[in-house]
Amino acid sequence: MMCSAKTKQLLYEFRLNSHMFASTDDGNIYQWDVGSRKIVDIMTDVGALQTNCIDFSSDNGYLVSGNNAGMTNLYQFNKVTKTLNKKPVKEIDNLTTSIDNVCFNPASELLAFTSKW
């Protein structure tokens, strides 16, 4: 289970066969197997020195990442093998400032990304 650090309120309860993704300051995206509590895969985010944010689409088909170079990368997730395609389906690099937030709409039809600068 995942709890809020501030309020100690339950945010999410994981199933034993689920996977969790995390981004780090080194530009890598880590895939964790929650049941075995081990890293399954490490992927380098294309064009990133530092990956700032990630989001998963509600249909579990895509993962999007935003990085400090102003790039937003869209990766396809294979539901059968439970792995990410290491080459982005789409790279959006028209911003020159750091991406602070990425988000899919509930139907996974739209993707929004922001930069506070």
Side-chain angles (χ1 to χ4, degrees), residues 14-29:
F14 294 102
R15 295 182 306 231
L16 286 179
N17 62 351
S18 64
H19 289 251
M20 182 171 71
F21 291 85
S23 63
T24 60
D25 287 345
D26 61 1
N28 288 328
I29 297 174

Side-chain angles (χ1 to χ4, degrees), residues 46 61-63 72-77 85-92:
V46 175
Y62 295 97
L63 178 128
T72 302
N73 295 316
L74 183 67
Y75 298 96
Q76 191 166 23
F77 183 71
N85 186 351
K86 304 228 189 278
K87 184 178 180 200
V89 175
K90 182 72 176 171
E91 296 177 27
I92 305 167

Side-chain angles (χ1 to χ4, degrees), residues 1-114:
M1 76 177 54
M2 183 185 300
C3 297
S4 168
K6 288 183 181 179
T7 64
K8 309 295 187 237
Q9 187 176 27
L10 177 67
L11 299 175
Y12 188 78
E13 225 173 309
F14 294 102
R15 295 182 306 231
L16 286 179
N17 62 351
S18 64
H19 289 251
M20 182 171 71
F21 291 85
S23 63
T24 60
D25 287 345
D26 61 1
N28 288 328
I29 297 174
Y30 293 84
Q31 182 178 355
W32 295 80
D33 183 336
V34 176
S36 66
R37 293 181 289 184
K38 295 185 183 199
I39 296 174
V40 176
D41 193 17
I42 301 172
M43 182 184 80
T44 301
D45 192 11
V46 175
L49 298 175
Q50 176 183 352
T51 302
N52 295 337
C53 49
I54 59 175
D55 189 29
F56 225 92
S57 62
S58 61
D59 66 356
N60 294 329
Y62 295 97
L63 178 128
V64 64
S65 67
N67 63 46
N68 64 333
M71 290 184 69
T72 302
N73 295 316
L74 183 67
Y75 298 96
Q76 191 166 23
F77 183 71
N78 187 326
K79 296 175 191 175
V80 176
T81 62
K82 296 185 179 177
T83 58
L84 277 176
N85 186 351
K86 304 228 189 278
K87 184 178 180 200
V89 175
K90 182 72 176 171
E91 296 177 27
I92 305 167
D93 60 355
N94 59 342
L95 288 180
T96 58
T97 56
S98 180
I99 304 295
D100 296 314
N101 193 11
V102 291
C103 185
F104 283 100
N105 77 326
S108 301
E109 298 166 334
L110 297 172
L111 169 64
F113 55 96
T114 63

